[in-house]
Each structure stands twice: as structure tokens, then as C-alpha cells.
């Protein structure tokens, strides 16, 4: 008996040593990567689309920055698959038609590739074999129309007068998500003018139209007709002559963009909206050398980063998100809040808290600003996730520093005020969830058009309040959040996570949130989720989920384990189980044994922007989430 106990204690000491060694390794990596200003600037990688569009933009404006363009070309070529296509994620079987068209066009426009190059012939064959330009998504068709490759429809599906409809109207401009608004506004301006710009370098893609009329928008227009009738009824109710209302609407749309330009020149800090804004302004009469346009281009170029010695244009920067999560994970690992690392991070985060009213206030008119945004340049576009993440990171100083306490109080009031009427929390705005709009024929559906309550946002918000403010299920607004989660659990026990991949992420957020606000561990919803996680664990002890889950809206295994998915699953189980289980032990062992793993699973997207369109690889996740899971495991089971 004594021998058995001795062996078990020896095994535990060895496991604890290995865990502490891995924690220290991850901590040292993160501390070493911190910038002098206290932030972390890990790349926010989003495929090749931004690289392609940057080339197309520069060539269209005849800005011949050759070294810069050549570097982007090199990265795009490096991502091409053997069959000539480009993919959005590793296990996308044959490739992605839209991404391949974007790459093919950009490479031709760069001038560094020709149609006779072997890789370009493969790309062209892939495009033709998969339906040609007719089958690409609407936003890429817009880009092609802007650059003279696709004809504009006679009447664009969304009339610019939508910006004039009052908030009281059944459908108005602010019923769309902020992401939809900032991309639609420049599109409707350019479409209204039927604006396009070609140069001597512009390639000819006409061979990619397989039949006459393939560049007709009739299908898109027909799918929008029922919705358009509602909009046109509203427009007819506006007082004024039609041509005068049209002029006012165009000017209003222009001002909407100009009033939301950040200090670096970008429109709401996003690549796509800024790219589109540049064309919309030119359509409206701005010269391509106008200071607003040249500054916007400079802002887009400032989003460049280097990945594996290749230049990449980030969709935006994730600096606040990275800094908040990393600072929090380091503190959970035992790094003192009085250390220079944490103090510098906290000072950086405090400097990024928002003080401006913007679109979020349209549906939340009685709240003061107080949130945080995603990007370092972001001053007017806060979100719930970055706000709770930042508060976790600065929480240690609120009792001793009145500046931090004021920031804390303002942010808490803002978060509470942003709770949706259904009890959940969305990413950016309040009650932007008119479900009938999700049926509009736009790629991404609900994810593009609306900003509804989600399991990941609601769960993470509850986790923050439960663990860091000591609020629990007895508080009315917490109770409403719990009820939303319980109503929206999937039949298999999981939750869908909007901003991560996907059901593992949503389940992690939901369960850690429920547990934090004192929901019983033996609650049927929690037990059902635990059984689901155990059921999908891989034979090697880890977890891994495919981006296909996001497309098909059901869990699809990656058939491989990733460190990030494993960390999310483990953190969920550690929070919900009172004692260590065999499955938890196997997961921890996987994290320890894969500490130096460096293959396609390392770079596989763990975040999503739009289903089947836009996926995100956060380079920081490979460090911070395993660190968080290991630290929570150690703190709970090796006290």
C-alpha cells in the first residue's frame, strides 16, 4: 500500500514538474515577445485575399511600389495548391473558387505572372472547371466591377436611399450589423455611379465567363426583390423630390464614411471597408491623389506584417486583443501584477479605452462610452469580448489606483448596458438581430448581416462577471444571460461559437461562464456538454475541429488535434469537473508532448470572420491558450 502511494506521489511530482517546465517555457516566450510599449503584436493572419486586393488597388491607382508588390506576389504564390487552386483552410478538399479568382487576377495584374505560366494555367483550369466568374461570391464580383472586369447591374440591390430611412421604419440602415454597414455603404455609392477604373495593366478575364450573360446580376437582383419592395415603400414615404433625395442620400453616405475614418486613414480600421471606401470616393469625384485616399492607402500598408519571411497585409491589427489575453494568461500563470511586464501591458490597455460615442450608441443611447476595441488604432468601434478581456488584464490594480478603478467602473456599466433584450450579448452592438434579414442572399448570411447574441460572447461575459466581480446567478442580468445560454445549447450538448472554430470554442465559453456564476456542476446542461467533449476527444488525447463546422453548422472533426482546440476543451473540463479525470489527464499529456509541434495544425485557423469566406489565424493562440489551460489545471489539481 505504501509503495503504491509512493509511486503515485512520485508520478504526481513528475507531472507537476513537467507542467511547470512547460508553463515557464510559454511564459518566457510571451515575455520575450512583448513590445516596448507593453503590447503584443502577433500577426493576425487572414489568408491571401487582403494581399490580392492590395496588389489590385495599387495597380489600379498606378502606385508602382515594386518591391512591396513583388513581396505580396511571392506570398500568394507560396500558398497555391498543387492543383492550381488556393484554399481557405487546409482540409478544404479541392480548393476555393473565389480565392483562386482573386489570386489569379492579382498575380496577372501585378505583371510578375502571365497566363502562360504553368501555375497560372493550373489556376485558370481550376476556375473554369468550377463554373468560372459566375459562381464567385458577391463581394468579389463587386471588386471586379470596380476594376472593369464585371458589369454593374442596372439597379443595385440596395438603393443608397436606405441611409435616409428613420430608425422607426421596419427596416433601416442601422438594423444591419456594423460590418455590413461599413462594407455596403461604399459599395452602394460606387454601384450608383456604376464606377470602374481600368489601366493599361488591367488584365482581361473575359475568358473566365463560360457563357454569354455570365456577368449578369439577375440572379442576385431576383433574390433581393421581396426585401427591396419593403425598402422602396419606405423611400417613397420620404418627403422630397426623388432626385433631391438621391443627392442627399449620396452625400449622407459619403459623410458616414468620412466621419468614421481612424487616425491612420482607414475606415473603421478594416481592410475591406477601406479598400471599398477608396473606390467610392473616386466614384463621388475625388481624385486618386486626394489626401484622404493617399492616407487610406498608407493606413492599409501599415497593416503589413511578416510571416515565414513573407509579407502579409493584415485585415486589421489584433494588438488590443492579443495584449489583453496574454496579460491575463500570464497573471493566471503566476506572473505578479507588480512585474514590469504586466504593468506595461496594463498601461497600454488603459490608454486604449474608448471615450467616443459611435454606432454602438444608436441602439444604446443612455450609456457612456467605456469599451475597448480589437485594433490598436481603433477609437470608435468597441466590442464586448475585447472589453471583458481588457478588464481581466487590469483587474489587479483597481483597488490601489483610482485611474484604473474609473476605467473599470465605466467599462462594467457599458457591458451591462449592452446586454440584448433576449438576455445574451453580441459582439459590437445591441439588439441588431432582426432574424428575417438573415435570409438575404449575401455570403455569410447571419454572420454578415446581423450581430445577434452568441454563446461565446455571452459565456465569456458571464465568466468575467463571475470570476472578477463576484456577481453570480442571483443577479437579474446574470440570470438572464444564463437563461439565454441554456435555451441555445445544441442537442448534442455543445454550443456554437461565432468568433472561433467553432463548437469547441463556443462550449468552452459557455461552460466556463456558467460555472463562474455558480451554476451547479451537476446541472444537466453542463453534464451534457462534458459528455460531448469526452465523446469527441481524439485517440492521442487532444481535440481538433474543422472550419467545415462553421459552414455546415454542426461539429465536424479535423481528424487531427491542435494545441488551441485542446486547450479550450481542457479549460472547459477543468472548470466543470471537481476531480481530475482520465480524459483531462490525457489532454494534459497531449499538450506537454506537443509543446514543440510545428505543422499545418499549428497554423490552422482558430477564428472565423465569415463562413466559407474569411478565417483567422491568431499566432498568439498557440502560446496563450495552452498556458491558460495548464495554469488552471495546476492551480486546481496541484494546490
Amino acid at each position: 500500500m505504501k509503495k503504491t502511494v509512493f509511486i503515485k506521489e512520485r508520478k504526481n511530482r513528475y507531472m507537476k514538474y513537467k507542467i511547470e517546465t512547460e508553463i515557464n517555457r510559454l511564459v518566457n516566450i510571451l515575455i520575450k515577445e512583448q513590445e516596448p510599449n507593453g503590447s503584443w503584436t502577433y500577426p493576425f493572419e487572414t489568408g491571401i485575399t487582403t494581399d490580392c486586393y492590395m496588389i489590385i488597388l495599387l495597380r489600379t491607382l498606378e502606385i508602382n511600389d515594386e518591391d512591396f508588390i513583388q513581396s505580396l506576389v511571392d506570398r500568394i504564390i507560396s500558398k497555391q495548391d498543387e492543383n492550381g487552386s488556393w484554399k481557405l483552410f487546409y482540409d478544404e478538399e479541392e480548393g476555393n473558387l473565389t480565392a483562386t479568382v482573386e489570386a489569379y487576377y492579382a498575380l496577372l495584374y501585378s505583371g510578375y505572372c502571365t497566363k502562360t505560366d504553368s501555375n497560372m494555367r493550373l489556376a485558370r483550369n481550376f476556375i473554369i472547371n468550377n463554373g468560372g466568374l459566375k459562381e464567385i461570391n458577391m463581394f468579389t464580383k463587386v471588386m471586379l466591377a470596380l476594376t472593369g472586369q464585371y458589369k454593374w447591374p442596372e439597379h443595385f440591390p440596395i438603393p443608397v436611399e436606405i441611409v435616409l430611412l428613420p430608425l422607426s421604419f421596419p427596416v433601416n440602415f442601422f438594423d444591419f450589423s456594423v460590418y455590413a454597414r461599413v462594407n455596403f455603404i461604399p459599395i452602394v455609392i460606387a454601384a450608383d455611379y456604376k464606377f470602374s477604373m481600368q489601366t493599361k495593366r488591367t488584365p482581361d478575364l473575359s475568358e473566365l465567363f463560360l457563357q454569354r450573360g455570365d456577368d449578369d446580376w439577375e440572379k442576385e437582383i431576383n433574390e433581393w426583390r421581396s426585401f427591396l419592395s419593403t425598402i422602396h415603400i419606405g423611400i417613397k414615404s420620404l418627403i422630397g423630390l426623388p432626385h433631391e433625395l438621391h443627392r442627399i442620400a449620396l452625400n449622407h453616405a459619403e459623410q458616414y464614411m468620412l466621419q468614421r475614418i481612424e487616425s491612420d486613414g482607414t475606415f473603421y480600421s478594416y481592410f475591406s471597408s477601406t479598400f471599398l471606401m477608396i473606390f467610392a470616393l473616386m466614384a463621388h469625384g475625388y481624385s486618386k491623389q486626394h489626401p484622404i485616399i493617399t492616407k487610406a492607402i498608407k493606413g492599409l500598408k501599415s497593416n503589413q506584417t511578416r510571416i515565414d519571411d513573407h509579407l502579409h497585409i493584415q485585415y486589421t491589427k489584433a494588438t488590443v486583443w492579443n495584449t489583453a489575453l496574454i496579460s491575463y494568461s500570464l497573471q493566471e500563470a503566476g506572473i505578479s501584477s507588480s512585474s514590469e511586464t504586466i504593468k506595461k501591458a496594463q498601461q497600454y490597455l488603459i490608454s486604449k479605452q474608448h471615450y467616443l460615442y459611435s454606432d454602438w450608441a444608436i441602439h444604446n443611447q443612455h450609456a457612456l462610452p467605456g469599451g475597448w476595441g480589437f485594433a490598436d488604432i481603433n477609437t470608435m468601434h468597441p466590442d464586448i469580448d475585447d472589453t471583458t478581456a481588457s478588464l481581466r488584464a487590469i483587474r489587479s490594480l483597481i483597488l490601489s489606483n483610482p485611474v484604473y478603478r474609473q476605467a473599470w467602473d465605466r467599462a462594467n456599466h457599458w457591458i451591462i448596458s449592452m446586454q440584448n433584450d433576449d438576455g445574451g450579448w453580441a459582439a459590437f452592438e445591441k439588439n441588431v438581430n432582426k432574424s428575417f434579414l438573415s435570409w438575404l442572399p449575401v455570403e455569410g448570411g447571419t454572420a454578415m448581416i446581423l450581430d445577434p447574441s452568441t454563446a461565446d460572447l455571452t459565456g465569456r461575459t458571464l465568466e468575467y462577471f463571475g470570476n472578477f466581480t463576484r456577481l453570480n446567478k442571483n443577479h437579474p442580468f446574470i440570470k438572464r444571460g444564463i437563461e439565454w445560454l441554456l435555451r441555445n445549447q445544441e442537442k448534442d450538448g455543445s454550443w456554437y461559437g461565432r468568433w472561433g472554430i467553432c463548437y469547441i470554442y463556443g462550449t468552452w465559453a459557455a461552460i466556463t461562464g456558467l460555472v463562474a456564476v455558480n451554476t451547479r456542476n451537476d446541472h444537466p446542461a453542463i453534464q451534457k456538454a462534458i459528455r460531448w467533449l469526452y465523446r469527441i476527444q481524439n485517440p492521442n488525447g487532444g481535440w481538433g475541429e474543422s472550419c467545415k463546422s462553421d459552414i455546415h453548422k454542426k461539429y465536424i472533426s479535423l481528424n487531427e488535434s491542435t494545441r488551441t482546440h485542446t486547450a479550450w476543451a481542457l479549460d472547459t473540463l477543468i472548470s466543470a469537473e471537481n476531480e481530475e479525470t482520465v480524459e483531462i489527464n490525457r489532454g494534459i499529456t497531449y499538450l506537454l508532448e506537443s509543446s514543440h509541434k510545428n505543422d499545418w495544425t499549428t497554423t490552422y485557423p482558430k477564428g472565423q470572420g465569415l463562413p466559407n469566406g474569411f478565417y483567422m489565424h491568431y499566432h498568439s493562440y498557440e502560446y496563450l491558450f495552452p498556458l491558460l489551460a495548464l495554469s488552471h489545471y495546476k492551480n486546481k489539481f496541484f494546490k
Side-chain angles (χ1 to χ4, degrees):
M1 182 68 176
K2 289 183 179 180
K3 185 176 180 181
T4 303
V5 172
F6 173 75
I7 293 173
K8 185 176 180 180
E9 289 178 350
R10 184 176 177 183
K11 182 179 179 181
N12 285 343
R13 285 198 300 270
Y14 178 67
M15 177 66 89
K16 185 178 181 181
Y17 167 76
K18 289 185 69 176
I19 289 170
E20 288 176 341
T21 299
E22 178 63 3
I23 287 174
N24 290 335
R25 185 185 76 87
L26 294 169
V27 164
N28 290 334
I29 289 172
L30 291 170
I31 290 176
K32 184 179 178 181
E33 294 291 333
Q34 188 178 30
E35 299 291 336
N37 70 350
S39 69
W40 278 270
T41 57
Y42 281 101
F44 178 59
E45 188 176 354
T46 52
I48 61 162
T49 294
T50 47
D51 303 326
C52 296
Y53 279 48
M54 194 75 220
I55 292 173
I56 293 163
L57 176 65
L58 294 177
R59 285 298 190 222
T60 302
L61 299 180
E62 299 181 294
I63 300 172
N64 299 320
D65 189 341
E66 296 308 316
D67 290 342
F68 186 76
I69 291 172
Q70 177 70 72
S71 295
L72 294 175
V73 166
D74 291 343
R75 180 172 192 267
I76 295 167
I77 292 174
S78 75
K79 298 294 182 180
Q80 189 175 18
D81 211 45
E82 290 182 0
N83 70 347
S85 72
W86 280 261
K87 294 181 176 181
L88 298 180
F89 48 88
Y90 181 86
D91 55 327
E92 187 178 28
E93 277 84 5
E94 295 301 319
N96 187 274
L97 174 61
T98 295
T100 303
V101 167
E102 292 168 341
Y104 183 75
Y105 186 34
L107 292 177
L108 287 178
Y109 215 160
S110 75
Y112 293 105
C113 296
T114 69
K115 292 183 179 181
T116 58
D117 295 343
S118 58
N119 69 312
M120 298 296 280
R121 289 200 303 270
L122 285 171
R124 183 174 64 252
N125 290 340
F126 177 86
I127 294 167
I128 291 171
N129 291 337
N130 284 274
L133 297 186
K134 183 179 181 180
E135 301 301 323
I136 61 177
N137 73 37
M138 188 183 77
F139 287 96
T140 305
K141 290 179 181 178
V142 167
M143 180 272 288
L144 293 177
L146 289 168
T147 56
Q149 300 291 335
Y150 215 99
K151 71 177 183 180
W152 285 107
E154 188 63 31
H155 300 287
F156 195 71
I158 304 177
V160 69
E161 286 85 355
I162 192 174
V163 301
L164 300 180
L165 295 178
L167 295 177
S168 59
F169 192 72
V171 179
N172 64 79
F173 184 51
F174 288 96
D175 285 332
F176 293 88
S177 72
V178 64
Y179 184 83
R181 291 197 302 272
V182 298
N183 285 286
F184 280 161
I185 274 290
I187 290 173
V188 297
I189 293 173
D192 191 84
Y193 288 104
K194 296 182 176 53
F195 178 81
S196 68
M197 179 178 284
Q198 292 181 283
T199 72
K200 293 179 180 179
R201 289 179 177 264
T202 303
D204 179 9
L205 299 186
S206 59
E207 67 195 54
L208 302 181
F209 292 110
L210 306 190
Q211 297 181 44
R212 186 176 180 180
D214 274 2
D215 59 347
D216 196 329
W217 294 68
E218 184 178 357
K219 177 183 176 183
E220 286 84 351
I221 301 295
N222 287 336
E223 290 176 334
W224 282 76
R225 288 199 189 282
S226 60
F227 171 72
L228 286 174
S229 64
T230 306
I231 295 294
H232 285 298
I233 290 171
I235 292 170
K236 288 179 180 178
S237 70
L238 297 172
I239 298 174
L241 296 173
H243 69 275
E244 184 63 16
L245 288 173
H246 190 71
R247 183 189 65 80
I248 292 171
L250 282 170
N251 289 334
H252 191 86
E254 175 195 7
Q255 289 304 310
Y256 180 86
M257 295 187 301
L258 297 180
Q259 292 168 7
R260 288 159 178 79
I261 293 176
E262 292 284 7
S263 61
D264 67 343
T266 59
F267 175 29
Y268 246 58
S269 77
Y270 290 152
F271 181 96
S272 62
S273 54
T274 306
F275 174 94
L276 293 167
M277 178 191 72
I278 291 169
F279 283 93
L281 291 176
M282 290 191 295
H284 206 56
Y286 287 61
S287 144
K288 64 183 181 181
Q289 290 88 24
H290 191 284
I292 293 176
I293 291 176
T294 57
K295 189 173 183 180
I297 295 164
K298 185 177 180 181
L300 292 179
K301 292 179 75 172
S302 72
N303 281 339
Q304 64 183 279
T305 187
R306 296 206 74 86
I307 301 171
D308 297 330
D309 205 32
H310 284 123
L311 188 70
H312 174 51
I313 301 298
Q314 299 171 104
Y315 186 81
T316 186
K317 294 175 183 173
T319 316
V320 173
W321 181 241
N322 282 328
T323 303
L325 290 179
I326 291 170
S327 176
Y328 162 60
S329 67
L330 288 172
Q331 291 177 74
E332 293 294 282
I335 302 301
S336 171
S337 60
S338 63
S339 69
E340 281 301 307
T341 296
I342 302 303
K343 286 197 296 186
K344 285 165 60 179
Q346 290 172 329
Q347 289 164 3
Y348 171 83
L349 288 170
I350 282 293
S351 73
K352 298 301 178 182
Q353 189 175 25
H354 289 198
Y355 291 86
L356 298 177
Y357 290 93
S358 191
D359 287 9
W360 62 266
I362 297 293
H363 297 293
N364 188 16
Q365 297 180 2
H366 303 294
L368 295 173
W372 274 264
F374 186 74
D376 58 343
I377 200 66
N378 188 337
T379 63
M380 64 184 80
H381 185 33
D383 65 86
I384 297 296
D385 236 356
D386 277 282
T387 302
T388 59
S390 295
L391 289 172
R392 289 184 192 92
I394 68 168
R395 90 271 190 178
S396 60
L397 293 183
I398 62 169
L399 296 179
S400 59
N401 189 319
V403 174
Y404 286 83
R405 182 54 192 256
Q406 290 172 9
W408 176 273
D409 288 342
R410 285 177 53 234
N412 280 318
H413 286 300
W414 184 77
I415 295 167
I416 294 170
S417 77
M418 291 291 287
Q419 187 175 25
N420 283 337
D421 291 347
D422 62 12
W425 277 267
F428 301 107
E429 295 180 335
K430 183 175 182 177
N431 295 331
V432 182
N433 54 7
K434 290 183 175 177
S435 59
F436 72 89
L437 292 178
S438 66
W439 294 99
L440 292 177
V442 175
E443 287 79 16
T446 301
M448 171 67 184
I449 298 292
L450 301 178
D451 187 16
S453 297
T454 66
D456 42 338
L457 271 298
T458 303
R460 299 302 292 152
T461 303
L462 292 180
E463 189 277 337
Y464 159 71
F465 280 118
N467 285 335
F468 298 98
T469 71
R470 299 189 183 280
L471 294 177
N472 59 38
K473 62 184 180 181
N474 296 319
H475 291 77
F477 83 94
I478 297 291
K479 185 178 180 181
R480 290 174 57 228
I482 294 172
E483 290 171 349
W484 186 92
L485 281 176
L486 296 180
R487 286 197 309 271
N488 286 276
Q489 187 176 23
E490 302 290 334
K491 290 181 179 179
D492 62 7
S494 67
W495 278 267
Y496 173 73
R498 163 65 180 90
W499 296 98
I501 306 297
C502 230
Y503 289 90
I504 294 176
Y505 182 74
T507 303
W508 165 68
I511 294 298
T512 54
L514 289 171
V515 170
V517 293
N518 295 342
T519 306
R520 299 188 332 270
N521 287 30
D522 62 354
H523 190 286
I526 292 178
Q527 290 301 307
K528 193 174 183 181
I530 289 173
R531 290 194 296 271
W532 177 76
L533 281 172
Y534 286 155
R535 191 163 63 249
I536 66 169
Q537 188 174 23
N538 290 330
N540 65 2
W543 282 263
E545 184 172 359
S546 172
C547 292
K548 296 175 187 177
S549 292
D550 151 66
I551 298 168
H552 299 288
K553 294 298 180 286
K554 65 177 182 178
Y555 171 77
I556 297 177
S557 175
L558 186 60
N559 297 318
E560 293 284 351
S561 296
T562 78
R563 286 174 58 78
T564 301
H565 281 119
T566 300
W568 289 335
L570 278 172
D571 205 38
T572 308
L573 296 171
I574 291 164
S575 73
E577 294 281 27
N578 293 322
E579 297 181 357
E580 182 182 0
T581 64
V582 172
E583 291 86 354
I584 291 175
N585 184 270
R586 289 175 59 225
I588 292 293
T589 299
Y590 172 80
L591 277 187
L592 296 175
E593 292 179 348
S594 65
S595 61
H596 296 286
K597 188 177 185 181
N598 185 22
D599 59 15
W600 65 267
T601 64
T602 309
T603 58
Y604 192 82
K606 310 304 188 308
Q608 54 154 311
L610 292 174
N612 202 26
F614 178 29
Y615 294 93
M616 304 172 288
H617 169 40
Y618 296 87
H619 287 233
S620 61
Y621 280 17
E622 293 299 303
Y623 308 114
L624 75 90
F625 281 116
L627 175 61
L628 203 59
L630 291 170
S631 299
H632 287 165
Y633 174 83
K634 176 190 171 186
N635 295 339
K636 185 167 186 176
F637 298 119
F638 285 108
K639 292 182 179 179

